[in-house]
Amino acid sequence: MKKDFTCCCPSLIPSRETACFYLLCVLIALYMLAGAAIFSSLERPAELKTHQLWEKRLRDFSHDHNLSYEDLKSLLHHYEEARTAGIRTEQGRALWDITGAFYFVGTVVSTIGFGVTAPSTAMGKVFLVFYGLLGCSATILFFNLFLERVITLVSLLIFWCHRKRMGHSGQEGRDSEDNRNGEWKPSVYQVTLILYVAVLLVACGAASLYSAMEGWTYMESLYFCFVAFSTVGFGDFVSCQREHHEGTWAYQVANCLLMLLGVCCTYSLFNTISVIIKQGLNLMLETLAWMYSVLLVNAFVMRLKWKQCAKER
């Protein structure tokens, strides 16, 4: 009976990869809950204060200019619809000329999606679905190929530095060192550190350019670099949107190149960090398995002691 039950029912113990997946799901959910709690405590009071101030300004404006409050809100609603088509209170650069459209498709295929520009026509929205499907897939392939070459280049650089450092250690033991060098490989921590420095250098250099060209503070520019390079793309800060930027071709080209370089480097960094996270998950699983085995041994020992005490009685 027990044998038949074991054959008919699959094992309830998941594999290591499945357990790692479940553990990652739980940790991501907890991480998101913690982030939601922190951001809510930081941003919610400011949101409520801004909402109250906005309502007060609307009522004061309607009262001072003898306007209906509902008519004023209706006008603002129409403006929100027009903003999707590129209408701004301050004159900006054209959104749908060839350079503006090229900037838009760049944010689509890179999955940044700032949201400042979006198709307003039905045909444009339909075309975006098919265009984005192929474009995003091709860009992800490009990022993966870029990652392979970056990892190879960084590994060769680390290996060269390792060989050079071993060469300065003296002639003694050189044969054994050479044998070990044939098997030596750079660790994921070394690769991650180099990629982190590269991303930091690109972000700091790009922030200097954006701060000068966009009029942002340096911290706002660094914030924009992270949001853009990580393809989060909130849209609260967007580069190359001012009217005078239409004539600065050098800045537009530099912006595209920095976006491409920043996204590629950050994508590579995210991948190496994910490897470290997976190693941490495996370590957590091993720790949990060890704790579970200890509990089983203790339970078994306690059961033996209980039976021995019962016999003595």
Side-chain angles (χ1 to χ4, degrees):
M1 182 87 174
K2 184 177 180 181
K3 183 177 180 180
D4 294 337
F5 177 81
T6 305
C7 295
C8 295
C9 297
S11 175
L12 298 178
I13 301 177
S15 64
R16 173 176 286 272
E17 290 297 326
T18 304
C20 184
F21 172 76
Y22 291 152
L23 179 59
L24 181 61
C25 290
V26 172
L27 292 178
I28 289 177
L30 294 176
Y31 188 77
M32 293 176 65
L33 286 174
I38 293 173
F39 279 113
S40 179
S41 63
L42 292 175
E43 300 295 333
R44 181 60 177 168
E47 179 189 16
L48 294 175
K49 183 178 180 181
T50 303
H51 181 74
Q52 293 174 357
L53 180 61
W54 175 245
E55 289 292 332
K56 181 178 182 302
R57 286 177 176 176
L58 281 181
R59 296 188 181 280
D60 291 344
F61 185 86
S62 62
H63 180 267
D64 294 341
H65 295 80
N66 196 22
L67 295 174
S68 169
Y69 178 74
E70 296 299 328
D71 291 341
L72 182 59
K73 292 192 69 174
S74 177
L75 176 63
L76 292 175
H77 177 71
H78 291 311
Y79 172 72
E80 289 177 353
E81 294 179 346
R83 187 176 177 85
T84 305
I87 305 300
R88 301 291 185 272
T89 53
E90 296 181 2
Q91 183 64 33
R93 57 157 299 158
L95 298 181
W96 291 109
D97 60 354
I98 189 62
T99 55
F102 185 81
Y103 188 88
F104 166 73
V105 297
T107 62
V108 172
V109 299
S110 63
T111 69
I112 295 177
F114 287 123
V116 174
T117 308
S120 58
T121 63
M123 289 301 298
K125 294 176 181 178
V126 171
F127 177 71
L128 175 64
V129 174
F130 298 97
Y131 184 86
L133 181 64
L134 181 60
C136 292
S137 302
T139 306
I140 290 175
L141 174 61
F142 172 80
F143 288 160
N144 288 328
L145 295 177
F146 181 87
L147 173 63
E148 293 176 3
R149 282 147 182 81
V150 166
I151 297 299
T152 302
L153 179 62
V154 172
S155 300
L156 290 175
L157 178 62
I158 296 175
F159 183 75
W160 178 80
C161 295
H162 176 75
R163 288 290 298 271
K164 190 174 182 180
R165 181 167 55 86
M166 290 296 102
H168 290 294
S169 62
Q171 188 66 30
E172 297 181 0
R174 181 164 295 180
D175 295 336
S176 59
E177 289 294 341
D178 288 339
N179 292 333
R180 285 200 296 264
N181 285 337
E183 302 175 356
W184 185 86
K185 293 181 180 180
S187 68
V188 65
Y189 303 100
Q190 294 173 319
V191 176
T192 302
L193 178 61
I194 292 179
L195 287 175
Y196 177 78
V197 172
V199 170
L200 193 61
L201 291 175
V202 172
C204 290
S208 300
L209 177 64
Y210 293 134
S211 179
M213 297 298 297
E214 302 289 346
W216 303 332
T217 65
Y218 192 75
M219 288 302 300
E220 289 174 341
S221 300
L222 280 176
Y223 164 79
F224 166 76
C225 288
F226 173 78
V227 170
F229 295 167
S230 62
T231 70
V232 174
F234 291 126
D236 48 352
F237 291 92
V238 184
S239 58
C240 284
Q241 296 301 303
R242 297 189 176 186
E243 185 178 11
H244 65 272
H245 288 159
E246 291 185 356
T248 53
W249 285 93
Y251 174 59
Q252 294 182 33
V253 173
N255 177 59
C256 292
L257 293 177
L258 285 172
M259 287 286 184
L260 179 62
L261 181 61
V263 171
C264 289
C265 292
T266 307
Y267 178 83
S268 303
L269 178 62
F270 285 167
N271 275 273
T272 55
I273 292 177
S274 66
V275 174
I276 296 176
I277 292 175
K278 189 172 182 180
Q279 291 179 352
L281 291 174
N282 289 329
L283 180 61
M284 293 178 63
L285 288 175
E286 292 176 359
T287 304
L288 291 174
W290 175 80
M291 294 174 61
Y292 179 71
S293 63
V294 170
L295 290 175
L296 288 180
V297 171
N298 290 335
F300 180 73
V301 172
M302 292 297 295
R303 185 179 299 175
L304 290 178
K305 290 183 177 180
W306 182 80
K307 289 182 178 180
Q308 184 177 3
C309 293
K311 288 181 180 181
E312 293 177 354
R313 291 179 183 177

